[in-house]
């Protein structure tokens, strides 16, 4: 799964109940995200502490502080923040989602699912909760259940790029490759610069035997990220199937230049060298 960004886990962006003035909940959250992106997680957490010193009942800031503590791997401290939020407002669905995400990453699937289900009891129209719920089923390879969650997400938010991407991958795993390509196209329509989505689309087209179209996808991938070793490896495979062995070899060399430890690409390179020497 592509996951949910930090900002999608934060709350207090523009709600009518936000505090007013230069230090609104939204402004504090934006500042914290900026600090986190610069690697200053401690300073980001301090932003929330300053608000909570003045407004200890601010459930949004308790949730957001927990999110950043979670990013630091401080599980118990993060859980304590969400417990505090829920002691103030047991119906604050975002804190249930945040708790679920921590449990999911620790492979505590039952606990995570219970958290998401509680969030959805409170807010059945939470696309983020439905999306995260799908991750439990993907991890357990219960693809039909995961697909049902993705479809619910997209009924609520047709522009939820991560859901289109992950629905495409679920369809790929179900060997429904044409449907996978259609999902990736929907994701690309909203995020044309995603290396991951172009790469997944290329893989689905490759599985369909659409090698020319697959090659176009990997060319796009490499135009977006020339140092993406897996993109060079996949382009190598496509060119091999097109009989373009010397071009394939050049791609294998490029992939190994970036990632010399890839055994599969090393094996493919040896095979290509053998084929070329026979000519």
């Amino acid at each position: 799964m592509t996951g949910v960004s930090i900002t999608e886990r934060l709350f207090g962006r523009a709600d009518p109940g936000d505090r007013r003035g230069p230090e609104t909940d939204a402004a504090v959250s934006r500042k914290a995200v900026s600090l986190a992106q610069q690697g200053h997680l401690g300073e980001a957490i301090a932003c929330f502490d300053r608000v909570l010193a003045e407004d200890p009942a601010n459930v949004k800031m308790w949730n957001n502080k927990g999110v950043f503590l979670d990013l630091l791997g401080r599980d118990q401290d993060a859980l304590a923040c969400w417990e505090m939020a829920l002691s103030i407002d047991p119906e604050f669905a975002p804190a249930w989602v945040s708790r679920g995400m921590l449990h999911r990453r620790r492979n505590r699937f039952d606990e995570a699912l219970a958290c998401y289900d509680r969030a959805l009891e409170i807010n059945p129209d939470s696309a983020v909760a439905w999306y995260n719920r799908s991750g439990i089923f993907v991890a357990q390879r219960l693809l039909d259940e995961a697909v049902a969650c993705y479809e619910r997400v997209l009924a609520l938010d047709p522009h939820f790029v991560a859901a289109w991407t992950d629905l495409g991958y679920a369809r790929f795993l179900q060997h429904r490759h044409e449907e996978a390509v259609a999902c990736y196209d929907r994701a690309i329509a909203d995020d044309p610069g995603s290396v991951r989505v172009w790469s997944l689309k290329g893989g689905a087209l490759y599985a369909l035997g659409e090698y020319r179209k697959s090659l176009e996808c990997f060319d796009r991938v490499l135009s977006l990220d020339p140092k993406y070793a897996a993109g060079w490896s996949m382009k190598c495979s496509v060119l091999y199937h097109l009989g373009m062995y010397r071009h394939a070899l050049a791609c294998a060399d490029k992939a190994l230049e970036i990632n010399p430890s890839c055994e599969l690409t090393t094996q493919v390179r040896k095979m290509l060298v053998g084929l070329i020497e026979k000519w």
Side-chain angles (χ1 to χ4, degrees), residues 33 51 54 70 80 89 109-111 113-114 132 144 177 186 193 196 208 229 279:
V33 170
V51 174
E54 297 180 3
D70 184 14
D89 181 2
F109 299 137
D110 290 342
E111 293 93 329
L113 190 59
N132 281 286
D144 289 339
H177 299 133
R186 290 295 299 267
R196 181 171 184 264
L208 286 166
W279 284 6

Side-chain angles (χ1 to χ4, degrees), residues 12-273:
R13 290 190 285 270
D15 293 347
D18 279 354
R19 295 170 303 108
R20 302 301 176 185
E23 287 288 288
T24 64
D25 293 342
V28 170
S29 297
R30 285 195 298 270
K31 182 177 180 180
V33 170
S34 176
L35 286 166
Q37 289 171 339
Q38 297 170 51
H40 305 309
L41 282 169
E43 293 178 44
I45 292 169
C47 293
F48 302 124
D49 284 337
R50 285 192 292 273
V51 174
L52 291 167
E54 297 180 3
D55 183 11
N58 189 320
V59 292
K60 296 170 186 174
M61 296 296 100
W62 279 114
N63 177 78
N64 294 359
K65 180 180 177 180
V67 168
F68 280 84
L69 289 167
D70 184 14
L71 291 172
L72 285 170
R74 293 168 57 181
D75 291 16
Q76 294 307 312
D77 291 335
L79 288 168
C81 287
W82 299 323
E83 286 293 340
M84 180 63 75
L86 292 169
S87 71
I88 297 166
D89 181 2
E91 301 294 297
F92 187 61
W96 288 108
V97 173
S98 293
R99 283 179 58 172
M101 292 176 76
L102 185 150
H103 287 310
R104 162 66 185 88
R105 282 195 304 281
R106 301 298 182 265
N107 294 322
R108 299 193 288 262
F109 299 137
D110 290 342
E111 293 93 329
L113 190 59
C115 290
Y116 298 143
D117 286 347
R118 182 70 183 102
L120 289 166
E121 286 178 15
I122 298 165
N123 180 11
D125 293 333
S126 170
V128 170
W130 280 109
Y131 175 76
N132 281 286
R133 192 174 189 269
S134 69
I136 303 297
F137 301 123
V138 171
Q140 298 174 325
R141 283 298 186 263
L142 300 172
L143 295 179
D144 289 339
E145 289 85 345
V147 165
C149 289
Y150 294 134
E151 289 176 342
R152 186 66 179 266
V153 172
L154 294 166
L156 294 165
D157 181 0
H159 298 286
F160 201 121
V161 172
W164 280 117
T165 304
D166 292 346
L167 176 58
Y169 189 61
R171 291 306 194 196
F172 180 84
L173 292 175
Q174 293 174 319
H175 305 288
R176 297 165 66 169
H177 299 133
E178 290 181 353
E179 292 180 46
V181 171
C183 291
Y184 298 141
D185 282 340
R186 290 295 299 267
I188 287 168
D190 282 320
D191 186 10
S194 171
V195 167
R196 181 171 184 264
V197 181
W198 279 107
S199 185
L200 288 169
K201 181 181 177 182
L205 289 165
Y206 178 85
L208 286 166
E210 297 279 357
Y211 299 126
R212 292 287 181 185
K213 292 181 180 179
S214 178
L215 182 61
E216 291 174 5
C217 290
F218 290 113
D219 281 340
R220 178 63 69 92
V221 167
L222 295 168
S223 71
L224 293 166
D225 184 0
K227 295 188 180 297
Y228 186 51
W232 287 107
S233 294
M234 283 301 299
K235 182 174 180 179
C236 168
S237 296
V238 174
L239 290 168
Y240 164 75
H241 280 283
L242 290 170
M244 301 170 68
Y245 299 146
R246 293 187 185 277
H247 292 291
L249 179 60
C251 290
D253 286 341
K254 186 66 176 177
L256 290 169
E257 177 185 322
I258 298 166
N259 179 17
S261 63
C262 182
E263 293 183 8
L264 180 59
T265 305
T266 300
Q267 293 171 4
V268 170
R269 186 187 185 283
K270 289 179 180 177
M271 179 189 68
L272 287 166
V273 169

